[in-house]
Amino acid sequence: MRARKAFLEALQSAWRRQARPEQLAPAGTWSTWIFCGGRGAGKTRSGAEWVHERVATGSARYIHLIAPTAADVRDVMLEGPAGILSPSVTPAHVRPIYQPSLRKVVWPNGAQALLFSSDEPDRLRGPQADTVWMDELCAMRTAQDVLDNAMFGLRLGKDPRCLITTTPRPIKPFKALLAREGQDVVVTRSSSYRNRENLAPQFFAQIVAKYEGTRLAKQEIEAELLTDVPGALWHLQRIEELRASRAPQPFERVVVAIDPAVTFGPDADETGIVVVGLAGDGHAYVLDDLSGRYPPSEWAQRAIQAYRIYHADRIVGEVNNGGALVEHTLRSVDPGIPFKAVHASRGKLTRAEPVSALYEQGRVHHVGIFGPLEDQLTSYDGSRTGGSPDRLDALCWGVHELMLGDPAGGFIKTQSLLAPVDTGSPTRAPLERPTDVRGIFAIAAGGIGPEPDALGIVYFAYSYVGTPLVVLDWDLQEIDAGTLDRWYAEARTQYLGLLSSIRPALPDGVIGIEPSGIGGVLFEYGYLRGHGVAALTREKLLGMTIPQRAVAASAYINSGRVQITRAAHEKLLDFKGVLRNHFLHQVAAFGVEQQPAEAGVLLAAFADGVLEAFADPRIRGLRT
């Protein structure tokens, strides 16, 4: 008991040892208090004590508690050993009640705190407050939005105040706050060493000793605001200028890039996992940084989860050290995952320089704030000193794949689907919908490639004069037994809308379906319910794989005998949260390096339709 009492007294004295804002500036002259502290400096306890003090004095009735994630609010600010609900911080008779279902904390005197995470900054727009406590502002991806919305809501009472407890990082909104020091902002600075007596001896013997004297220690332990390293390839000011608050849509491609660590343990390198998207404007957007120290099975799971969440096209990974083990580890989690191996044939500096040049050109943007990644970027000068910048490596692989590597695709050139504007003109454009055609037909495919629950359909017009084959329209939906009747009805309505007193190419049927695998199920379902379907029966076609069909179809497509209408070319569809022209995306993305599992349902339907049409000698012999 005596030891516990001494421990509690030591903890409580930590708050009193910090430089309180009243000691730095007269009461009433400041509205925001920033506590810059290293790891274990007492930031959380100071925040909890400050909130309790304002509640006890009646200054706080409506409080907002904000952290990077909802879990951080619960696990650190509330239930952590130095949080608001901790017995070492708050006596039982004045301890508030946590109501997790309402995202609220209520004190016995009626004061209440609402809980927010930086993942949802817009939730701060409505509620008002007289007290705001933000923890780890510099770790929030949406720091500027959170800060703006929190300050707009800080408008109740006679003395509204905000406390920001954070380990400092040189992000724009934080530096703007520091620039107001001595005006309406007061700043407390404290290193981990100042709270040493309340921290485990092993923390200083092992962790601090390992990083002492490094740039990371200056930031994470001594709470110093770092500046760019002289000669660094990236500059924080440029990253800030290019930072985006939201990702644009649609993306042309998205990749998950991995720089795997060879070993695992507290002293091992991190595994870099970075998600990058390429937008229609030709700019790359860094969407997430999931890097960390993981055993192989865990980094593989995290990379595959990111692949699914961000609807990526493939995972790219460096294989110099791990060799085939990288792909093997990923496929042990998901055998069908699209993977491309990349090899570091040149030095790290040589790979990094062209990527940093893209930043200087204003063509790479960070969607949110990625502190550890940006720390690596702005401290890398190409020297061999320090640890391996694995997050930087993963970023470079992702950007290189999207912007500096060979163009995606290889079999089918989408430019070939466009028609010359004038005779002999190099300018090409999609066709207007033709009216004088020989027939119209549709091909459907389902259960293929990375979307096994997807159903795609492509509508064609064919003629014996002019352009032999035209893509009129396309559609992509999820396969759901409850919606198949609706889907078939929509497909038939679309078909009849396209059909104008001309017979379809496939006799007695509207939709051609390959009768194998899930296609057989779709065909039988549509046939028994009278939805108008026909089975593709040519043995040569059915004996080919999807890649083989795409290669065969590309001969007709790239020679200009297949073109696309403006409606199909400009169509954007939100499928599973991704807004893009999925037809053109699948056609362009299918290249020499693609695996059969990466072929999408629209590509399969398109290739089948081309080969079905050009099986007719009269069509096959025509040229545009």
Side-chain angles (χ1 to χ4, degrees), residues 412 417 443 458 460 469 471 553 557 562-563 583 587 601-611:
I412 300 173
L417 292 170
I443 301 290
V458 181
F460 298 88
L469 191 65
V471 177
I557 299 165
V562 182
Q563 292 171 350
F583 173 78
V587 168
V601 292
L602 289 171
L603 175 68
F606 179 48
D608 286 350
V610 172
L611 295 180

Side-chain angles (χ1 to χ4, degrees), residues 394-572:
L395 169 78
C396 289
W397 287 125
V399 174
H400 193 281
E401 170 68 17
L402 295 177
M403 303 184 72
L404 299 172
D406 295 329
F411 290 144
I412 300 173
K413 306 300 183 185
T414 53
Q415 187 73 4
S416 301
L417 292 170
L418 305 177
V421 174
D422 298 305
T423 303
S425 171
T427 305
R428 305 179 73 87
L431 294 171
E432 299 303 327
R433 178 172 291 177
T435 55
D436 183 17
V437 296
R438 173 65 178 170
I440 296 177
F441 66 100
I443 301 290
I448 296 171
E451 295 288 353
D453 57 346
L455 183 61
I457 185 169
V458 181
Y459 299 90
F460 298 88
Y462 75 102
S463 175
Y464 298 150
V465 294
T467 301
L469 191 65
V470 176
V471 177
L472 297 174
D473 203 350
W474 56 270
D475 190 32
L476 184 65
Q477 295 193 24
E478 280 190 84
I479 296 175
D480 185 334
T483 60
L484 276 181
D485 279 315
R486 174 184 58 77
W487 182 86
Y488 272 117
E490 289 177 357
R492 185 174 180 82
T493 300
Q494 173 74 346
Y495 174 81
L496 294 175
L498 296 170
L499 187 65
S500 57
S501 69
I502 49 178
R503 67 177 180 84
L506 295 168
D508 304 320
V510 173
I511 304 171
I513 302 177
E514 178 184 338
S516 63
I518 198 169
V521 176
L522 294 172
F523 169 73
E524 185 172 348
Y525 187 98
Y527 179 78
L528 293 176
R529 286 163 175 76
H531 288 305
V533 295
L536 303 180
T537 58
R538 290 198 304 113
E539 292 184 5
K540 182 178 180 181
L541 175 65
L542 300 181
M544 300 167 67
T545 65
I546 301 300
Q548 289 172 336
R549 297 180 201 182
V551 173
S554 69
Y556 301 107
I557 299 165
N558 293 336
S559 62
R561 286 184 280 179
V562 182
Q563 292 171 350
I564 188 171
T565 63
R566 185 176 304 279
H569 184 271
E570 297 178 355
K571 180 175 184 177
L572 297 179

Side-chain angles (χ1 to χ4, degrees), residues 59-341:
S59 300
R61 299 289 294 176
Y62 300 96
I63 306 158
H64 291 171
L65 303 178
I66 312 169
T69 68
D72 292 331
V73 180
R74 181 191 66 237
D75 300 340
V76 179
M77 301 179 78
L78 293 181
E79 299 179 342
I84 287 173
L85 303 178
S86 171
S88 70
V89 175
T90 315
H93 68 282
V94 293
R95 191 172 304 140
I97 297 174
Y98 176 30
Q99 301 175 352
S101 61
L102 299 178
R103 301 172 70 168
K104 182 188 293 187
V105 175
V106 180
W107 275 261
N109 68 355
Q112 61 180 13
L114 300 180
L115 314 181
F116 300 92
S117 84
S118 69
D119 294 330
E120 302 174 296
D122 286 343
R123 290 182 64 91
L124 284 158
R125 286 183 175 273
Q128 304 177 81
D130 52 43
T131 302
V132 172
W133 175 22
M134 277 185 270
D135 190 43
E136 297 297 352
L137 173 70
C138 294
M140 297 179 183
R141 290 183 53 184
T142 56
Q144 189 66 66
D145 287 344
V146 170
L147 191 61
D148 291 343
N149 287 326
M151 291 307 184
F152 279 128
L154 188 62
R155 56 180 183 259
L156 294 181
K158 296 181 179 179
D159 187 28
R161 299 288 175 99
C162 173
L163 167 62
I164 298 172
T165 53
T166 188
T167 300
R169 283 183 180 144
I171 63 172
K172 186 176 181 179
F174 184 65
K175 291 197 296 184
L177 283 172
L178 294 181
R180 288 158 45 193
E181 184 177 1
Q183 302 173 30
D184 61 335
V185 173
V186 293
V187 182
T188 296
R189 297 175 175 84
S190 181
S191 74
S192 306
Y193 296 105
R194 291 193 62 186
N195 200 32
R196 185 166 190 161
E197 64 185 79
N198 296 316
L199 301 175
Q202 292 85 348
F203 176 71
F204 286 90
Q206 298 176 13
I207 306 301
V208 174
K210 176 181 178 180
Y211 294 102
E212 199 165 21
T214 66
R215 280 178 55 85
L216 186 63
K218 290 182 180 296
Q219 174 179 279
E220 301 294 325
I221 299 173
E222 299 173 20
E224 290 187 16
L225 188 66
L226 301 182
T227 57
D228 293 339
V229 171
L233 295 186
W234 282 265
H235 302 284
L236 186 64
Q237 181 178 350
R238 187 56 172 160
I239 295 174
E240 286 288 356
E241 292 171 353
L242 300 172
R243 198 182 305 279
S245 59
R246 287 176 175 80
Q249 289 284 5
F251 280 117
E252 297 294 326
R253 295 184 66 202
V254 176
V255 297
V256 179
I258 305 176
D259 181 65
V262 180
T263 59
F264 169 67
D267 297 325
D269 292 333
E270 289 184 320
T271 290
I273 305 174
V274 176
V275 185
V276 188
L278 180 66
D281 59 3
H283 289 209
Y285 291 81
V286 181
L287 304 177
D288 211 344
D289 174 22
L290 303 167
S291 309
R293 289 183 176 86
Y294 312 118
S297 60
E298 187 174 345
W299 64 247
Q301 290 172 352
R302 287 177 179 267
I304 291 172
Q305 183 181 34
Y307 166 83
R308 293 169 179 159
I309 290 174
Y310 289 96
H311 306 280
D313 303 287
R314 62 169 52 187
I315 296 176
V316 298
E318 183 179 349
V319 297
N320 284 49
N321 295 321
L325 288 177
V326 177
E327 182 174 1
H328 175 76
T329 303
L330 288 167
R331 297 205 185 280
S332 67
V333 178
D334 185 345
I337 201 74
F339 175 75
K340 177 182 178 181

